[in-house]
Amino acid sequence: MKRLRTFFRRHVLWVVFFAVAIPLASILALQYRSLSKLEKTSTVAEKVWMKNYLGDVTKEVKYYYRTTAEQVLNVPAAAITGERLRNSRHLFGKCEAKGAKSLFIVSFASPGESEIFFYKPSGRGKIIEPPLAELRAANVAAAPLKMLSEERTPVQTTTVTTDERDLENRIIMKPITDDSSQVVGVAGMIIDNRYFREHYLPRAIQNSLPKFFPDDAQDNVIVTVHDGAGQLVLATQPVKGQDNETWMPVPYFQDWRIAIRSRDMTPEQWAHWNFNFNLALSVALTVVLLGGIALALRTVSHELRLSQMKTDFVSNVSHELRTPLSSIRVFGEFLKLGRVAGPEKVREYGEYVETESRRLTQLIDNILDFSKIESDRKTYQFERADVAEVVGATLKTFDVQLKQHGFGVDLRLPPGRLPVAVIDSESIAQALMNLLDNAVKYSGESKEITVRLGHRAGFITIAVTDRGIGIAREEQGKIFEKFYRVGTGLVHDVKGSGLGLALVEHIVKAHRGRVTVESEGSGRGSTFTIHLPATEGLGGHAETPQSAPILSGDSTFRFDLKR
Ligand code: ADP
């Protein structure tokens, strides 16, 4: 149980991540399944919808001609007998037969012989010489009813029928029956193909569109009508794209076919596009969500790490403060009680007290400066200065500490003079002190430190090299973070605040420079280099040798900067 708790505490971020990621992945999988189902059903639905539209148009056409015929061709049997048929001008119903070329009456009143008269679509006024083709078509259409009349077979219903044998003269007709249901004649109309094609059909097609397709979708469908010969009769838009269309025969024009298709995509393509689009949206959403969570977790993890580092910092700093303080107190007491034999020992203890107090001062300076940086209060006094001079002075202040630890420092200067730089000498000295302090702390058994001054590509460089424990490559990017301390290997034993390099970086950046680190890895030593922008003009040191070994092999440090 305890192990489980520890595991959760340690991997809490991963646990949270997976706790969100797994349900998200399941939702995505469900979404995928439902989308692919939707893809299939929406293809069918789209086709059914298109068919419904065509059904609506054809129903309109059927309704229009049927009601017109029912109203106009409503001729009573009495009206077509004898003289009345020849003279009457008002045989037909009240409506005008819009969409008809002509109306006609065939009378079977005289046995063995039928009479046929043609009228204008208004029903008022005869057509004396009807076109032969119309005459023939009307006679052919009426022939079956004539036969019924001759056989005296009664008809039960007098519904409207059609005859499309002559494609140019399609006929809608209705039998005229007497009281005993005997057929006495036929009233008919010959459909005006041109009116149907140019006026009625386009209107019917347009009227039905809004019922099935929203405004913006209407442009995406093309409705076409082809005649029996396959010729295009009309199209709502120039025909292009997929042939995959839904079609139906046109009522009263049974050889024609009315069809609908999508302009850009077939229903299958549309459904597939929709599927891909929705899936991409869901994936994008998931990625954004996971990214957001990862970012949030990263921030939390960073904060946790920072808080852990702060805790370590407090304990490290307390230790850093306590150790030198107790030594100082012990040496102070020895001196006070006169327990130190000989001036040599007094000098040694005095030096120790001085170094430890200097270290304490440096630590406290670092902390104070760091707090100033954090609250944006750190200011710099920039002046033209000779970097070599600043480096020399810093090494001089540091010599007692170096000597105590048995270190030798080799200061190497470039040939010729260094250019002048505009720097805050005190801050640069503080940065260099921190680098030197680290070089001492992390040198392990090795006791050699090299400080190289150089001038490269408009920058003055100060490089501090040690031959100590080195820094693993993956740690090199992190060591400049505040409070960060490498937590493995030998470094464990060395105390520190984790502020030194953060401070160095801040100071150098304030000078528009940069600080870099090179290390081959564990046990191979490290080189920290400060790069400061150089300005015009030359600095101090003149005939300094290219390499100036400053320290002798033993523990004595000789600082020897020639001017
Ligand atoms: P501190 O030295 O007080 O821990 P710094 O910010 O100065 O803090 O350094 C951060 C970390 O970088 C150190 O804890 C150490 O692990 C590593 N480091 C710094 N300088 C060196 C060096 N010269 N050699 C090896 N490791 C170093």
Side-chain angles (χ1 to χ4, degrees):
M1 194 62 195
K2 196 173 162 208
R3 281 172 91 192
L4 203 66
R5 226 178 297 137
T6 323
F7 174 84
F8 270 107
R9 203 174 312 127
R10 230 183 254 161
H11 301 96
V12 66
L13 297 179
W14 284 110
V15 171
V16 172
F17 185 77
F18 282 114
V20 177
I22 291 169
L24 260 181
S26 323
I27 291 172
L28 203 65
L30 283 177
Q31 177 99 340
Y32 179 85
R33 271 186 56 189
S34 90
L35 279 178
S36 46
K37 213 185 251 174
L38 197 70
E39 182 187 2
K40 283 179 200 116
T41 47
S42 67
T43 309
V44 177
E46 180 89 3
K47 283 186 170 174
V48 168
W49 198 241
M50 285 181 161
K51 198 129 200 158
N52 285 350
Y53 164 77
L54 294 182
D56 196 69
V57 177
T58 52
K59 211 168 81 194
E60 278 279 308
V61 172
K62 218 185 262 174
Y63 180 78
Y64 173 71
Y65 279 104
R66 180 178 287 269
T67 44
T68 307
E70 295 280 5
Q71 286 165 0
V72 175
L73 305 179
N74 212 358
V75 180
I80 62 161
T81 49
E83 282 309 298
R84 277 188 75 183
L85 176 62
R86 268 169 228 116
N87 301 331
S88 177
R89 294 168 59 91
H90 299 289
L91 291 168
F92 295 95
K94 285 202 176 118
C95 242
E96 184 186 342
K98 236 186 174 177
K101 266 201 292 199
S102 56
L103 301 174
F104 65 86
I105 297 280
V106 186
S107 168
F108 310 131
S110 328
E113 198 184 303
S114 56
E115 279 183 287
I116 185 160
F117 294 96
F118 273 77
Y119 301 84
K120 291 175 186 163
S122 61
R124 295 193 181 91
K126 280 193 178 121
I127 300 170
I128 307 302
E129 279 190 31
L132 215 58
E134 288 183 32
L135 203 58
R136 195 184 308 121
N139 272 321
V140 169
L145 287 168
K146 188 181 173 200
M147 223 144 77
L148 284 180
S149 164
E150 282 168 1
E151 285 167 3
R152 305 201 60 77
T153 315
V155 291
Q156 300 309 323
T157 52
T158 56
T159 49
V160 169
T161 55
T162 56
D163 189 305
E164 294 182 42
R165 274 175 283 184
D166 182 347
L167 299 179
E168 289 306 313
N169 298 295
R170 295 163 202 260
I171 288 171
I172 304 176
M173 61 192 178
K174 195 177 175 196
I176 304 169
T177 51
D178 61 13
D179 296 342
S180 53
S181 299
Q182 295 291 323
V183 181
V184 293
V186 178
M189 60 186 259
I190 298 182
I191 293 174
D192 184 350
N193 283 9
R194 224 180 95 200
Y195 174 82
F196 180 68
R197 189 178 60 223
E198 290 175 9
H199 300 286
Y200 184 73
L201 194 55
R203 209 171 50 226
I205 286 171
Q206 285 304 335
N207 285 348
S208 291
L209 272 177
K211 289 191 237 166
F212 290 83
F213 304 101
D215 283 353
D216 53 341
Q218 283 174 29
D219 282 350
N220 196 36
V221 287
I222 305 176
V223 183
T224 55
V225 178
H226 284 84
D227 65 14
Q231 291 294 319
L232 183 68
V233 175
L234 71 87
T236 52
Q237 290 186 52
V239 184
K240 62 167 194 168
Q242 312 296 328
D243 271 349
N244 192 346
E245 55 186 16
T246 308
W247 67 275
M248 264 185 194
V250 182
Y252 305 108
F253 287 77
Q254 287 294 321
D255 54 325
W256 290 17
R257 45 149 77 183
I258 180 169
I260 183 166
R261 66 173 79 176
S262 303
R263 189 181 54 186
D264 301 324
M265 284 185 250
T266 62
E268 285 85 355
Q269 285 170 331
W270 170 244
H272 192 61
W273 184 89
N274 243 348
F275 168 81
N276 285 341
F277 180 72
N278 280 307
L279 194 69
L281 268 188
S282 304
V283 170
L285 207 73
T286 311
V287 168
V288 169
L289 213 65
L290 283 179
I293 291 167
L295 209 72
L297 290 181
R298 226 188 88 173
T299 314
V300 171
S301 131
H302 183 76
E303 288 303 316
L304 283 178
R305 199 155 59 96
L306 202 67
S307 132
Q308 180 59 45
M309 287 194 298
K310 275 183 185 166
T311 314
D312 294 349
F313 165 77
V314 173
S315 105
N316 284 339
V317 166
S318 322
H319 182 91
E320 286 269 281
L321 288 174
R322 199 178 309 117
T323 320
L325 275 178
S326 20
S327 316
I328 291 169
R329 203 185 61 229
V330 171
F331 287 129
E333 274 173 13
F334 276 180
L335 289 172
K336 185 179 85 183
L337 298 173
R339 293 230 193 112
V340 189
E344 197 48 36
K345 268 281 179 226
V346 172
R347 205 175 66 82
E348 192 187 314
Y349 283 14
E351 261 181 9
Y352 196 88
V353 170
E354 190 200 338
T355 327
E356 288 303 293
S357 346
R358 204 188 296 281
R359 269 182 55 72
L360 279 178
T361 313
Q362 193 193 337
L363 179 66
I364 288 162
D365 279 353
N366 273 359
I367 295 171
L368 288 180
D369 271 4
F370 185 75
S371 119
K372 276 190 196 158
I373 287 170
E374 286 285 276
S375 56
D376 247 357
R377 281 184 295 113
K378 172 119 178 117
T379 51
Y380 295 92
Q381 304 288 325
F382 292 107
E383 288 167 353
R384 286 167 70 84
D386 180 0
V387 175
E389 217 168 79
V390 176
V391 171
T394 312
L395 286 174
K396 232 175 204 166
T397 357
F398 207 64
D399 65 349
V400 184
Q401 192 173 332
L402 288 165
K403 196 167 74 180
Q404 261 177 7
H405 290 90
F407 275 88
V409 172
D410 185 5
L411 175 65
R412 300 194 182 182
L413 299 162
R417 287 162 182 260
L418 275 179
V420 171
V422 177
I423 55 170
D424 178 336
S425 307
E426 222 171 88
S427 300
I428 293 298
Q430 191 186 5
L432 181 58
M433 287 279 255
N434 273 300
L435 294 185
L436 289 170
D437 189 43
N438 280 351
V440 171
K441 281 197 295 186
Y442 303 109
S443 263
E445 294 304 308
S446 159
K447 299 285 173 200
E448 288 168 49
I449 296 172
T450 308
V451 178
R452 271 190 197 84
L453 268 173
H455 177 215
R456 215 182 312 143
F459 281 88
I460 298 171
T461 54
I462 312 166
V464 178
T465 305
D466 62 63
R467 285 148 198 88
I469 61 171
I471 303 161
R473 210 163 281 279
E474 62 275 13
E475 299 283 0
Q476 291 176 13
K478 301 184 201 159
I479 53 176
F480 293 96
E481 286 174 28
K482 57 186 176 188
F483 306 125
Y484 189 85
R485 309 201 67 231
V486 179
T488 53
L490 272 174
V491 188
H492 260 319
D493 311 330
V494 183
K495 285 289 166 192
S497 62
L499 290 185
L501 289 180
L503 204 68
V504 172
E505 189 173 52
H506 189 275
I507 292 172
V508 175
K509 274 189 177 164
H511 285 75
R512 291 167 200 261
R514 66 202 156 87
V515 53
T516 53
V517 58
E518 286 161 62
S519 176
E520 293 292 313
S522 279
R524 305 272 195 85
S526 333
T527 299
F528 285 85
T529 311
I530 292 175
H531 305 254
L532 295 171
T535 43
E536 292 300 306
L538 294 173
H541 78 282
E543 307 90 30
T544 324
Q546 208 165 350
S547 169
I550 288 166
L551 193 65
S552 55
D554 58 33
S555 62
T556 39
F557 169 73
R558 272 191 287 112
F559 180 69
D560 184 9
L561 190 67
K562 289 187 187 158
R563 312 240 131 232

